[in-house]
């Protein structure tokens, strides 16, 4: 199994560092060409940076999820209210908890997942239809049945739309991450070659190819400290 490459760059940092590496490689092309790097490879890398930069921002998908969540919550609120109303009216004509349990395993409306709530509402509506005449006597009119049916449908639709929106966001998040990973893998390659070319030759040029200069700086300071301490001990 191929190891997943992770990176500690933001999107803007990847594009910035990527373009910086492109310029460095082009400047040192006489050395990089010896390692099989071609200008076509650089052009492909440049295009991928542009594609990554232009890829839709997560904010767009996050906002869509947020809007659809609000719609779903409002529909869910209405569905809970109407389900309680219908259960209350049913409890008037179906006397006794045991009798109610014959029709409903649970009458819990609050704190259950949206799918379970919709399933319960479907069940409540179907049972209510069987007692429609008796329910009309206690105040549950025919138009209320139609409204309840519409609320169930709109809540189901809103829930599905939210699921689709969430899945879409996940899909694009993974796609964006994959694009970033591909760029980073190429950056690692160019960085490694550049460091290899200038190692022990030119420290400034070597440092230009570092992906994480702060780590290099800390490691260098650590090595210098160790060397200094050893000299003192001698």
């Amino acid at each position: 199994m191929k190891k997943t490459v992770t990176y500690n760059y933001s999107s803007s940092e990847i594009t910035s560092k990527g373009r910086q590496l492109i310029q460095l490689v082009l400047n040192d092309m006489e050395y990089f060409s010896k390692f099989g790097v071609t200008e076509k490879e650089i052009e492909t890398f440049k295009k991928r940076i542009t594609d990554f930069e232009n890829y839709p921002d997560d904010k767009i998908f996050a906002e869509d999820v947020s809007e659809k969540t609000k719609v779903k919550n409002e529909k869910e609120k209405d569905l809970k209210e109407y389900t309680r109303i219908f259960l209350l009216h049913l409890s008037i004509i179906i006397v006794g908890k045991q009798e109610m349990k014959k029709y409903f395993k649970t009458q819990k409306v609050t704190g259950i997942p949206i799918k379970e709530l919709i399933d319960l509402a479907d069940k409540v509506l179907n049972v209510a239809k069987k007692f429609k005449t008796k329910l009309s006597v206690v105040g549950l009119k025919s138009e209320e049945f139609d409204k309840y049916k519409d609320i169930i449908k709109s809540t189901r639709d809103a829930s599905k739309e939210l699921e689709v929106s969430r899945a879409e966001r996940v899909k694009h998040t993974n796609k964006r991450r994959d694009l970033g990973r591909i760029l980073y893998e190429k950056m690692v390659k160019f960085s490694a070659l550049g460091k290899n070319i200038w190692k022990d030759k030119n420290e400034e040029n070597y440092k230009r190819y570092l992906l994480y200069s702060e780590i290099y700086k800390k490691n260098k300071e650590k090595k210098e400290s160790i060397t200094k301490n050893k000299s003192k001990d001698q």
Side-chain angles (χ1 to χ4, degrees):
M1 183 183 288
K2 186 176 179 181
K3 185 178 179 181
T4 302
V5 177
T6 57
Y7 52 89
N8 296 317
Y9 278 125
S10 66
S11 297
S12 60
E13 287 171 335
I14 281 186
T15 55
S16 176
K17 189 65 177 180
R19 288 196 172 98
Q20 180 185 337
L21 279 171
I22 286 173
Q23 193 56 53
L24 290 172
V25 173
L26 289 175
N27 291 342
D28 292 334
M29 200 62 190
E30 61 177 302
Y31 302 110
F32 275 84
S33 60
K34 295 176 183 178
F35 292 96
V37 177
T38 64
E39 290 189 6
K40 183 178 179 181
E41 183 178 0
I42 298 300
E43 284 301 314
T44 300
F45 181 52
K46 189 186 296 184
K47 182 180 181 303
R48 282 179 172 165
I49 289 177
T50 301
D51 290 342
F52 180 73
E53 194 172 40
N54 293 334
Y55 197 82
D57 191 89
D58 179 61
K59 184 179 179 182
I60 296 171
F61 303 102
E63 287 177 350
D64 188 60
V65 169
S66 178
E67 286 301 313
K68 286 184 169 56
T69 298
K70 289 177 183 176
V71 173
K72 188 274 294 182
N73 288 344
E74 284 300 314
K75 298 295 183 182
E76 185 177 4
K77 181 181 176 183
D78 291 341
L79 184 59
K80 286 178 180 178
E81 180 182 347
Y82 256 74
T83 300
R84 289 192 183 100
I85 290 171
F86 268 71
L87 282 171
L88 177 61
H89 281 79
L90 281 168
S91 69
I92 295 172
I93 63 170
I94 303 175
V95 181
K97 290 183 179 180
Q98 290 303 117
E99 286 298 312
M100 283 291 283
K101 282 185 177 180
K102 288 181 181 179
Y103 296 100
F104 312 107
K105 291 181 180 179
T106 178
Q107 296 176 52
K108 183 179 180 183
V109 173
T110 303
I112 62 175
I114 184 67
K115 187 179 182 304
E116 289 182 23
L117 176 63
I118 292 171
D119 289 343
L120 174 61
D122 282 332
K123 178 70 173 175
V124 170
L125 182 59
N126 287 332
V127 172
K129 286 177 181 177
K130 296 177 182 179
F131 296 97
K132 196 168 185 179
T133 302
K134 289 183 178 181
L135 287 170
S136 66
V137 175
V138 293
L140 205 56
K141 304 302 180 183
S142 180
E143 54 266 26
E144 295 299 323
F145 280 77
D146 293 334
K147 187 171 183 179
Y148 190 28
K149 182 180 178 181
D150 290 342
I151 290 173
I152 293 172
K153 183 182 183 306
S154 62
T155 305
R156 181 180 282 112
D157 291 344
S159 179
K160 287 180 179 178
E161 286 176 11
L162 176 57
E163 286 179 12
V164 170
S165 182
R166 284 172 173 167
E168 192 73 4
R169 185 185 182 190
V170 170
K171 182 183 79 173
H172 285 285
T173 296
N174 291 336
K175 177 67 175 176
R176 193 183 302 104
R177 188 181 293 120
D178 286 342
L179 290 172
R181 176 184 53 77
I182 291 170
L183 288 179
Y184 185 73
E185 286 176 349
K186 188 67 70 175
M187 288 164 63
V188 168
K189 174 186 174 180
F190 292 151
S191 172
L193 290 176
K195 289 187 292 182
N196 184 65
I197 290 167
W198 294 110
K199 187 178 181 181
D200 301 326
K201 293 179 184 178
N202 187 311
E203 186 180 10
E204 286 305 310
N205 285 349
Y206 175 88
K207 285 161 63 176
R208 289 190 182 99
Y209 282 97
L210 294 173
L211 292 181
Y212 298 99
S213 55
E214 285 303 312
I215 294 176
Y216 171 77
K217 183 180 177 182
K218 288 178 181 178
N219 288 340
K220 185 180 178 184
E221 289 174 350
K222 186 177 179 180
K223 287 179 182 178
E224 289 175 349
S225 177
I226 292 172
T227 304
K228 188 175 180 181
N229 290 332
K230 281 184 177 179
S231 299
K232 285 181 179 180
D233 293 339
Q234 293 173 353

